[in-house]
Structures are given as C-alpha cells and as structure tokens.
Amino acid sequence: MGLLRIMMPPKLQLLAVVAFAVAMLFLENQIQKLEESRSKLERAIARHEVREIEQRHTMDGPRQDVALDEEDDMVIIYNRVPKTASTSFTNIAYDLCAKNKYHVLHINTTKNNPVMSLQDQVRFVKNITSWKEMKPGFYHGHISYLDFAKFGVKKKPIYINVIRDPIERLVSYYYFLRFGDDYRPGLRRRKQGDKKTFDECVAEGGSDCAPEKLWLQIPFFCGHSSECWNVGSRWAMDQAKYNLINEYFLVGVTEELEDFIMLLEAALPRFFRGAAELYRTGKKSHLRKTTEKKLPTKQTIAKLQQSDIWKMENEFYEFALEQFQFIRAHAVREKDGDLYILAQNFFYEKIYPKSN
C-alpha cells in the first residue's frame, strides 16, 4: 500500500509558515515575560530578606550609633569576572556566612551591565559604607572596579577577584551562552539552539568568538572610565595593572583557585575561616560546569593568539599570575607535595620606654 501524499496549495503552505512563525514569536514573547517575572520575583524576595535582617537588627537593639570594631566594620567586594569559577568561589562565601557571622549580598545589575550610571555609583558607595546592618559584608557581582576614594570615602572596601586564561574563559562563555551549565540546567540561554562549535565559529569569523570578545578582564579591573572599555587600549591595560597592585587585596587565578582560597583564609579569617577545608571536601567545590563544552583545536588557539587584543589580555593575565605566585611564595611552604601557611615570622623587640 503506497503512502498517501497530500499536496497543500501554495497559499495554504504560506499561511502555515506564517502561522508557525507567529506561534514561535508568541512563545518567545511568553518566555521573555516569564524570565522578566522571575527577575522581578527574585528582586522582591531580596528586598524582603533585607527588610527582615534590618528588623532583626532593630529588635536586637539600635546599632547605628554604636561604633563597630575594625573586623565587624569590614566590607569585601568581589567584582567577579564572568566564567572564572566565580560561582564556585561565591558559594563558599554563602556556606560560611552563618557560621562566621557576616552577610553575603549579590549585586544584580540590569542585563549584567558591568558599568554603573553615575547616580547608581553614588547610591552603591553610600550603601556599602553606611549600611551598618549589613556589616561585616561580602558583596559580589559582575561589576567593574569602582574607586571609592573619589567619592570622599575614608575607609575603602577590600577588593578581591579571580581571573582566568583569556581563551579558556572565552570558550567557556561561548558554550555557556548556548548550553548553560549544571547549576541551573533548565534555564533558557541567550544563544540556545545554536549548535556551532567554537572552532567553527572562529573559522567562519563569527562575532561571538571574535578577538574583541576577549576584552573583558582588563576593563573589569580598569574601572568605569570610558577608555577602559575602548577595546585594545594600552592605557586601559596599564590602569588595570595599577589597580590590581594598588587597589586589590588579592587576585587569584582560576587554575589555582584552591591556593587563592587558602591564602584568603590565612589573611582574612573573619570571613574565610574553614574555607580551604570546605573547598577540598565540600560537594560544591566544582559546582558549576559549562555543559557541552568542547576544547578548541591548536589551529583555533593559534588564530586567536595572532590578535593584539589576545596579546594584551594575556599579558594582563600573566601579570596577575606572577603577582599571585609571588604572594603565595612568601606565604606558604611546601612539604610532601602539600602547601602549608607560614606562621607569623616577625616580632617586636627593644620596646621603649620600659614599663616600671
């Protein structure tokens, strides 16, 4: 028995195509509305949680007029660069905050825009410095460096960060936009449905894998000046290096994240006591992994490395790595393949005048 083939008139075919297109647009619109509703709900929940904390502090007694001791007055800002293991590290802060008695707050900017408006910069600086109910506080979010000194702040927050090999970071971000990760596998991603590999994208000269997309870690450290976001700016790289040395307490690298955490615990135990052990033994050590990620070929890597933008981002990465390894070399000792934090190796003597 042969197959019955029904021929559809051209007009009906056209109507069917149009109907299908309209249906897809409708579904896309509904998905967008759901995502916006979810975002609004998250913000409402966050505001409710903040109010609860403030009410709890009020019930415990007024705190505004009480001077905080130095450790309780501490604020850390982790202006996390996307796809540098930032979620894995941030979850350690969340796991430790109740035990170590500090607050963790996520800085959620609209569309993940890392540059704040001038008025938002003022609001943010005011929040960070005067919001005593949230101190000690650990703030994290995808925002570029902000110089608190230019707002007249005397006690600046402590900046920390982690960076990654620039090509590895871009590859991870490329696949993340298409396939997501194992942290929220059901969430629809911006480039979902695009099956093109990173190698294919580079070979075809695609925009999502263009060398310009490497320009991210430098502007994150450079800050809110317009020149910071001028792709390939030598001034921006020099400023990023200056800030890394002078404005950041510690900058680690994704490839040596455990050592970064160990150094933070030794230097800032008020926040990170227990962090190294939690990272080594906890289930959340490598919580977020990009799905469907395929390593690029040597040819792809070589092509990207011809770019001046890669050379600058890689120079910055190597600069940060050298600084981190220098700090680590003076803070730990190695024994049987393991690293141990050095004990205090300075003391005071010849103290005058002598007490009676």
Side-chain angles (χ1 to χ4, degrees):
M1 185 175 178
L3 291 173
L4 179 63
R5 182 175 299 174
I6 301 176
M7 297 299 294
M8 186 180 293
K11 287 185 178 180
L12 286 179
Q13 290 181 14
L14 179 60
L15 285 173
V17 170
V18 171
F20 178 76
V22 170
M24 290 302 296
L25 288 172
F26 175 77
L27 286 173
E28 288 282 348
N29 185 51
Q30 293 299 108
I31 291 170
Q32 181 66 29
K33 286 183 178 179
L34 286 172
E35 290 180 350
E36 290 175 355
S37 298
R38 178 184 60 81
S39 180
K40 289 179 181 178
L41 179 61
E42 287 178 347
R43 289 197 292 269
I45 293 172
R47 286 194 294 268
H48 177 70
E49 290 175 343
V50 168
R51 282 196 296 270
E52 280 191 335
I53 293 172
E54 290 178 333
Q55 289 172 3
R56 189 160 63 246
H57 280 292
T58 302
M59 292 174 64
D60 292 340
R63 191 176 178 184
Q64 283 79 1
D65 299 327
V66 179
L68 301 176
D69 64 39
E70 189 172 348
E71 285 199 335
D72 285 344
D73 195 31
M74 189 179 297
V75 170
I76 293 175
I77 296 180
Y78 171 34
N79 64 315
R80 42 196 283 200
V81 179
K83 305 312 297 175
T84 57
S86 61
T87 299
S88 299
F89 173 61
T90 301
N91 273 293
I92 290 176
Y94 277 111
D95 287 344
L96 291 174
C97 64
K99 179 181 177 182
N100 291 346
K101 294 182 171 53
Y102 61 87
H103 299 286
V104 180
L105 299 91
H106 178 217
I107 310 159
N108 190 344
T109 60
T110 303
K111 296 183 179 179
N112 284 330
N113 186 355
V115 178
M116 289 182 172
S117 66
L118 184 61
Q119 58 270 31
D120 273 350
Q121 293 178 41
V122 174
R123 295 183 188 111
F124 181 60
V125 170
K126 184 178 180 180
N127 288 155
I128 292 287
T129 54
S130 62
W131 202 0
K132 292 186 177 180
E133 289 82 5
M134 294 296 116
K135 291 183 178 180
F138 180 95
Y139 292 76
H140 67 97
H142 296 313
I143 57 171
S144 57
Y145 169 76
L146 183 62
D147 182 9
F148 277 59
K150 75 176 187 178
F151 296 91
V153 174
K154 294 180 180 179
K155 184 179 175 61
K156 297 195 293 185
I158 295 173
Y159 269 94
I160 62 172
N161 216 326
V162 177
I163 69 172
R164 186 177 186 178
D165 175 276
I167 291 180
E168 290 183 5
R169 193 206 65 79
L170 179 59
V171 170
S172 181
Y173 190 62
Y174 177 88
Y175 285 108
F176 172 73
L177 291 180
R178 285 151 178 78
F179 302 102
D181 54 29
D182 56 0
Y183 184 50
R184 291 189 289 180
L187 187 62
R188 181 178 176 83
R189 300 298 173 180
R190 196 191 325 157
K191 298 286 185 175
Q192 187 169 321
D194 180 6
K195 306 293 185 182
K196 188 183 298 180
T197 68
F198 187 80
D199 288 328
E200 292 169 343
C201 178
V202 171
E204 296 172 7
S207 59
D208 285 348
C209 54
E212 289 76 13
K213 296 294 184 180
L214 292 166
W215 189 259
L216 190 69
Q217 298 187 129
I218 286 175
F220 257 73
F221 279 80
C222 179
H224 277 68
S225 299
S226 62
E227 187 65 18
C228 295
W229 299 89
N230 185 1
V231 177
S233 167
R234 173 64 58 173
W235 181 91
M237 186 179 71
D238 291 341
Q239 186 64 38
K241 287 181 177 180
Y242 176 88
N243 288 342
L244 186 148
I245 295 296
N246 295 283
E247 304 296 344
Y248 280 80
F249 180 78
L250 184 66
V251 176
V253 294
T254 304
E255 296 79 6
E256 299 176 12
L257 189 61
E258 184 176 343
D259 294 354
F260 171 72
I261 292 169
M262 180 176 62
L263 290 175
L264 282 177
E265 180 174 353
L268 299 173
R270 177 67 180 81
F271 284 82
F272 298 105
R273 185 178 291 108
E277 182 67 18
L278 181 62
Y279 181 81
R280 284 192 291 264
T281 62
K283 293 181 179 179
K284 294 184 179 180
S285 299
H286 304 285
L287 175 63
R288 193 169 193 170
K289 292 183 179 179
T290 302
T291 307
E292 301 284 341
K293 184 169 67 175
K294 297 178 177 64
L295 296 178
T297 63
K298 292 180 179 180
Q299 291 83 355
T300 295
I301 294 173
K303 187 172 181 178
L304 286 173
Q305 288 177 342
Q306 294 173 7
S307 163
D308 289 337
I309 298 170
W310 173 82
K311 291 174 183 175
M312 294 180 71
E313 276 280 346
N314 191 64
E315 181 181 334
F316 180 69
Y317 168 75
E318 294 288 348
F319 179 84
L321 177 61
E322 181 181 2
Q323 176 68 8
F324 174 72
Q325 291 177 342
F326 177 84
I327 293 172
R328 183 180 60 188
H330 288 80
V332 303
R333 64 182 176 86
E334 186 175 352
K335 183 180 179 181
D336 300 328
D338 293 323
L339 296 179
Y340 297 89
I341 292 292
L342 291 173
Q344 179 174 317
N345 61 1
F346 74 92
F347 60 94
Y348 303 102
E349 61 179 3
K350 299 179 181 180
I351 303 172
Y352 288 86
K354 298 288 187 180
S355 57
N356 296 328

